[in-house]
C-alpha cells in the first residue's frame, strides 16, 4: 500500500516539475468526487473499500458506525490517508435477516426501533413510525461521537438512504449536528451544500452499469463544479450473495433472488478497471471531500438544488 501511494504522489510531483503546463491542464480538468457508501456494513464491503484505497487515488467513504463491521473499517481506513471519511447517518436496517439497531440502545430511543429492537427496514416504515425528533438527535449524535472517538479524521456527515435530509425538520437537525461537531454535509440528492453535481450508480442495471459510468465521467462532468458520484461496492462472498434488499425490487429478480452482490461487484470492477484509471488526469481530476473543503468555511451551510 505504501509503495503504491508513494509512486502515485511521486508521479504527480514529476509531472509538475518536468511539465508545469501539463500540471496546469490537470488542474483545469473537472473535479470528480467518488464516494463509497455503506462502509462498515459487512466484511465484503470493507474489503472493496480497501481495494479501492490501495490504488492511491483520492476518494471518500461514508462509514456506518451503527453497523457490526465498523471497527474493521476503522482499522483499514487508518492506513490510507488518500481516503476522506464521513459518517453515514443511519436510521434504517434494510436487509432481510441481517439487521442492526441504534448505537444508543433500544431503550434509549424506543421510537426508532421495531418490535425486535432494530431500525425500521425501509424509508417508508421510518416515515410512518411516529419517530420523535429528540430521539433522532440522540441517536445521530451518538453515531457521530462514536466516529470521532474512533481515531479517524471525520470530514463530513451524510444520510443513509437519504433519511436525515428527507424532511425540513430532519434537514434542520442534520445541519444543527454539522454545526455542533464542525463537520460538512454530503448529500444523497441534487440538493447539495458545496455546489456538487450529483450522480449515483445504484439503480443502473448491471449489464449497462460500467458503460454508463465511464461515459458519464468521460463526457458529462461539469468543468465548473465538483462532480459527486455515489458508488456502492463489495467483493464476492456468500454473505453478499444472501442479502435481500427489503426496499427495492431492482435489487432482486422477479423470483426473489438477490442481485445486490452482483451490482456491488460490478461497481467495484468499474472503479478498478484500466479504462477508468486511464481517465484520471486526462478526463477528470479525482479529489476527496477533505480536498474539496480545504479553505472553505464549513460553518456556513446553505443547501442549493443543483438540478
Amino acid at each position: 500500500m505504501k509503495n503504491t501511494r508513494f509512486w502515485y504522489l511521486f508521479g504527480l510531483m514529476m509531472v509538475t516539475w518536468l511539465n508545469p503546463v501539463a500540471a496546469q491542464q490537470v488542474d483545469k480538468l473537472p473535479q470528480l468526487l467518488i464516494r463509497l457508501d455503506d462502509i462498515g456494513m459487512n466484511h465484503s464491503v470493507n474489503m472493496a473499500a480497501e481495494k479501492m484505497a490501495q490504488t492511491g487515488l483520492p476518494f471518500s467513504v461514508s462509514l456506518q458506525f451503527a453497523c457490526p463491521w465498523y471497527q474493521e473499517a476503522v482499522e483499514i481506513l487508518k492506513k490510507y490517508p488518500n481516503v476522506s471519511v464521513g459518517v453515514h447517518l443511519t436510521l434504517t436496517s434494510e436487509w432481510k435477516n441481517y439487521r442492526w439497531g441504534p448505537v444508543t440502545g433500544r431503550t434509549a430511543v424506543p421510537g426508532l426501533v421495531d418490535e425486535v429492537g432494530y431500525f425500521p427496514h425501509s424509508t417508508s416504515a421510518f416515515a410512518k413510525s411516529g419517530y420523535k425528533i429528540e430521539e433522532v438527535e440522540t441517536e445521530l449524535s451518538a453515531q457521530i461521537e462514536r466516529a470521532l472517538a474512533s481515531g479517524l479524521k471525520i470530514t463530513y456527515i451524510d444520510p443513509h438512504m437519504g433519511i436525515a435530509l428527507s424532511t425540513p425538520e430532519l434537514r434542520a437537525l442534520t445541519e444543527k449536528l454539522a454545526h455542533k461537531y464542525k463537520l460538512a454535509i454530503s448529500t444523497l440528492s441534487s440538493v447539495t451544500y458545496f455546489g456538487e453535481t450529483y450522480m449515483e450508480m445504484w439503480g443502473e442495471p448491471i449489464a449497462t452499469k460500467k458503460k454508463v459510468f465511464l461515459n458519464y465521467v468521460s463526457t458529462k462532468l461539469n468543468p465548473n463544479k465538483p462532480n459527486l458520484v455515489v458508488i456502492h461496492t463489495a467483493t464476492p462472498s456468500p454473505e453478499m450473495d444472501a442479502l435481500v434488499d427489503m426496499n427495492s425490487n431492482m435489487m432482486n429478480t422477479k423470483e426473489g433472488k438477490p442481485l445486490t452482490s452482483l451490482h456491488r461487484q460490478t461497481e467495484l470492477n468499474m472503479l478498478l478497471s484500466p479504462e477508468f484509471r486511464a481517465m484520471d488526469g486526462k478526463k477528470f481530476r479525482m479529489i476527496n471531500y477533505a480536498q474539496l473543503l480545504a479553505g472553505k468555511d464549513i460553518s456556513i451551510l446553505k443547501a442549493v438544488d443543483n438540478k
Side-chain angles (χ1 to χ4, degrees):
M1 180 278 297
K2 291 182 179 179
N3 286 340
T4 300
R5 181 63 177 161
F6 170 80
W7 288 113
Y8 177 75
L9 294 174
F10 180 77
L12 290 179
M13 180 184 71
M14 291 302 292
V15 167
T16 303
W17 181 59
L18 294 173
N19 194 339
V21 174
Q24 290 176 0
Q25 290 173 343
V26 169
D27 286 340
K28 292 179 181 179
L29 290 172
Q31 295 178 323
L32 177 60
L33 275 168
I34 295 291
R35 193 185 88 200
L36 302 189
D37 278 9
D38 299 347
I39 309 307
M41 184 186 100
N42 62 21
H43 179 66
S44 299
V45 169
N46 291 347
M47 291 298 97
E50 182 159 37
K51 283 182 178 291
M52 183 62 181
Q54 288 170 342
T55 67
L57 296 170
F59 68 102
S60 304
V61 297
S62 293
L63 205 164
Q64 290 185 277
F65 284 88
C67 289
W69 284 84
Y70 87 88
Q71 293 176 84
E72 180 190 57
V74 169
E75 187 176 283
I76 290 169
L77 293 170
K78 285 180 178 179
K79 299 185 291 184
Y80 298 98
N82 53 310
V83 185
S84 179
V85 181
V87 182
H88 206 39
L89 301 174
T90 301
L91 294 165
T92 50
S93 181
E94 65 272 24
W95 306 104
K96 183 180 179 181
N97 299 328
Y98 176 52
R99 310 287 304 284
W100 47 76
V103 168
T104 49
R106 61 188 295 181
T107 56
V109 288
L112 300 185
V113 298
D114 60 17
E115 64 277 4
V116 289
Y118 296 124
F119 286 134
H121 69 273
S122 68
T123 54
S124 59
F126 176 84
K128 296 173 182 176
S129 68
Y131 64 87
K132 296 178 180 179
I133 197 69
E134 295 82 6
E135 291 187 3
V136 176
E137 181 172 1
T138 296
E139 172 58 22
L140 296 186
S141 296
Q143 291 181 22
I144 295 170
E145 288 169 11
R146 173 179 277 185
L148 295 173
S150 72
L152 288 172
K153 178 175 174 52
I154 305 300
T155 303
Y156 64 91
I157 55 179
D158 76 292
H160 179 53
M161 299 175 69
I163 290 179
L165 293 173
S166 62
T167 70
E169 186 179 39
L170 288 167
R171 179 178 292 277
L173 172 59
T174 298
E175 292 173 356
K176 174 184 175 181
L177 294 174
H179 282 296
K180 177 180 178 180
Y181 294 103
K182 297 180 174 58
L183 299 170
I185 298 176
S186 184
T187 190
L188 200 64
S189 74
S190 62
V191 179
T192 68
Y193 288 86
F194 300 97
E196 309 98 303
T197 67
Y198 179 82
M199 171 74 164
E200 63 177 312
M201 298 306 303
W202 176 84
E204 185 66 34
I206 294 167
T208 56
K209 198 181 287 280
K210 180 179 178 181
K211 180 179 179 181
V212 169
F213 173 70
L214 293 179
N215 181 61
Y216 179 78
V217 297
S218 63
T219 66
K220 297 183 179 180
L221 299 182
N222 189 319
N224 301 313
K225 295 181 177 182
N227 298 269
L228 172 62
V229 181
V230 175
I231 306 286
H232 297 79
T233 59
T235 57
S237 69
E239 65 177 348
M240 283 305 306
D241 291 343
L243 285 182
V244 175
D245 190 330
M246 293 191 288
N247 277 258
S248 173
N249 291 331
M250 296 171 58
M251 292 295 116
N252 309 300
T253 66
K254 292 180 180 179
E255 296 74 30
K257 181 181 178 180
L259 295 173
T260 296
S261 184
L262 289 175
H263 272 276
R264 294 189 178 222
Q265 290 170 41
T266 302
E267 295 193 24
L268 174 62
N269 290 340
M270 71 192 189
L271 289 180
L272 299 178
S273 69
E275 300 98 310
F276 176 71
R277 295 288 301 277
M279 291 179 187
D280 184 41
K282 296 178 181 178
K283 296 292 185 178
F284 52 77
R285 179 168 63 91
M286 284 188 66
I287 63 169
N288 59 34
Y289 262 103
Q291 293 168 323
L292 172 67
L293 299 170
K296 288 185 170 61
D297 184 359
I298 63 171
S299 68
I300 301 172
L301 292 171
K302 184 179 179 181
V304 177
D305 195 331
N306 281 297
K307 286 184 178 178

